[in-house]
Each structure stands twice: as C-alpha cells, then as structure tokens.
Amino acid sequence: MVKIAPSILNANFAHLQRDVDKVQNADILHIDIMDGHFVPNLSMGPGHVLAIQTKLPKEAHLMMEQPSRYAKSFLDAGAKRLIAHAEAEDLSKFIRTVHSNNGIAGVAINPNIPFSKLMPYLKRADFFLLMTVKAGFGGQSFMRSVLPKIRKLRKLTYADIEVDGGVNLETAKLAVRAGATILVAGTSLFNSNDPKHQVEELRSISNREIHLSVTEV
Ligand code: DX5
Ligand code: ZN
C-alpha cells in the first residue's frame, strides 16, 4: 500500500492546526524545515513540530546544512521520522543520533545530486527520499527526469522510497510505477476544496497503479 504524507508547507499558517485536522486520513505528516542556508527559504522549527497536534506520525524534512546538530531537538519535539540530505554533510552521525533515540532515519537527495551520494547509506538508512523538485519551495512542477533514479534505487532496496515535490493525481502514477511507496503532497492537497477527499483520491489512484503494474507482469 502506498502511503500519503501531506506537506503542510502550503497549508494556511494562520490556521495550521485546522489544516492539519483536514488530512488526518493520511499516513504521515510531512513538516518541512528550512534553514535559509541549505535552501534560501525559512520555515518552521522544533517548536512548531511540538505544537502541532495529530495522531499521524510526524516527519521532519530537514533542509538544513547541519542536520546532525539539530536531529535531537526535532526528535525531542516529537518527530519520529527525520529526513536529512546527503549533500548537506556526512550523515553517519545523523543516522546514529536518530537510531539511538528510537527514530526512523531517511536520506534524501535533490534532483541535481548524483545517485552515488545515496550509496554510503544504502544499508544504514531506514528509507530514502528523492526530491522531484529543487528543495526550498512548494508549488513547483514534478521533474520527470528523477524517475530513472527511483527505478534504479528500487532495484537496490526494499526500503520505502518517498518522493517529494509536485505530486498530484497524474504525477503520483508515474512515481508509483517507478517504485515509490510514500508520496509527499502539499499544493495539490491544500489548494483543493477538500483535502481529505484529495488524500483518498491520491491513495486510491496510487494503489491502483501498483495493482496494474503487478498484473501486467
Ligand atoms: C519542497 C518541500 C516539499 C514541498 C511539497 O522543498 O520539501 O515538501 O513543500 O509541496 P508541493 O506538493 O507543493 O510540491
Ligand atoms: Zn519536503
């Protein structure tokens, strides 16, 4: 089953909890953390992660230069799943910190980063995230050029492969067909009139895609 992870970057920050409440039928809550250095944008910190109320597992996507330095703060704030970028620093310490605090460690790369950057973490990371837009801003278009990377990674691991950026009802099919098992979606959910219904649509279209690719073989 494909999991849906709403990104709250494009939610209404003045009514953040109200928007989070609208997507409680999803599987994971994706919270984008930006430091103004690794990416030019700024977003939220551990205080926001702590304040958000949800029954979903919280996932912090750390778009920052030194994720190992901040990992513990986000784990303490209640993020069970942490994602750091392989192009930011050596992630050995990050992964150790996450694991020693009973967290789940994800390793990400931007679309322009070579696949080889993931290789040192193939056995150590719990899951992987392939950016399908350049990290930093919501509302960009899905980059199909990342699909071969998803296919390549799927041949090397049974771990979850998450895709992030520009995911909607059309691009979700491409990602799932390539091997993605977790879909992050921001704009396509929160710009719709009914985010809850959009989560269901995204889930059912993605699971249908898995079914189709299995019966095709
Ligand atoms: C981009 C973030 C994404 C993004 C997804 O830097 O990591 O999580 O907000 O949002 P959409 O679905 O708008 O691309
Ligand atoms: Zn993200």
Side-chain angles (χ1 to χ4, degrees):
M1 287 276 280
V2 174
K3 295 190 179 79
I4 309 300
S7 153
I8 55 173
L9 190 62
N10 275 69
N12 183 335
F13 279 13
H15 300 281
L16 193 50
Q17 187 61 50
R18 182 198 66 189
D19 279 3
V20 167
D21 291 345
K22 288 179 184 166
V23 291
Q24 288 304 297
N25 57 331
D27 302 285
I28 296 164
L29 191 72
H30 183 91
I31 307 171
D32 287 304
I33 311 297
M34 303 183 180
D35 69 349
H37 295 278
F38 181 73
V39 290
N41 203 358
L42 288 161
S43 59
M44 292 175 259
H48 299 85
V49 174
L50 184 65
I52 293 166
Q53 292 175 27
T54 177
K55 60 179 171 53
L56 303 179
K58 293 175 187 172
E59 165 177 274
H61 177 190
L62 307 180
M63 286 166 271
M64 52 171 54
E65 276 180 355
Q66 293 178 283
S68 59
R69 191 169 153 200
Y70 293 95
K72 180 83 165 59
S73 318
F74 284 97
L75 291 158
D76 289 347
K80 178 89 181 147
R81 298 165 58 87
L82 290 195
I83 300 160
H85 278 253
E87 65 269 37
E89 64 174 353
D90 182 295
L91 296 181
S92 303
K93 186 172 169 211
F94 166 79
I95 293 172
R96 275 200 308 275
T97 305
V98 173
H99 285 164
S100 59
N101 286 279
N102 298 317
I104 302 169
V107 171
I109 51 170
N110 258 303
N112 64 327
I113 301 299
F115 187 83
S116 58
K117 270 278 185 190
L118 290 177
M119 285 302 101
Y121 310 108
L122 200 57
K123 297 278 180 273
R124 286 183 283 162
D126 299 307
F127 69 102
F128 299 92
L129 180 142
L130 294 176
M131 290 301 303
T132 39
V133 299
K134 188 167 187 264
F137 298 91
Q140 305 177 71
S141 299
F142 184 93
M143 294 168 67
R144 287 167 189 242
S145 56
V146 180
L147 291 170
K149 268 186 190 161
I150 305 175
R151 284 194 282 270
K152 194 168 172 184
L153 184 56
R154 180 43 74 219
K155 289 194 178 125
L156 297 174
T157 180
Y158 290 115
D160 274 323
I161 299 175
E162 184 161 343
V163 292
D164 184 5
V167 173
N168 56 35
L169 294 178
E170 282 313 309
T171 57
K173 292 186 207 167
L174 303 175
V176 169
R177 198 157 264 249
T181 49
I182 303 179
L183 304 175
V184 177
T187 309
S188 70
L189 296 184
F190 288 108
N191 278 12
S192 86
N193 293 329
D194 190 348
K196 185 176 177 193
H197 178 69
Q198 267 316 101
V199 167
E200 289 310 332
E201 288 282 289
L202 204 50
R203 184 183 278 130
S204 76
I205 214 158
S206 304
N207 286 329
R208 193 153 67 229
E209 209 56 41
I210 291 187
H211 181 71
L212 284 176
S213 42
V214 170
T215 49
E216 235 171 40
V217 179

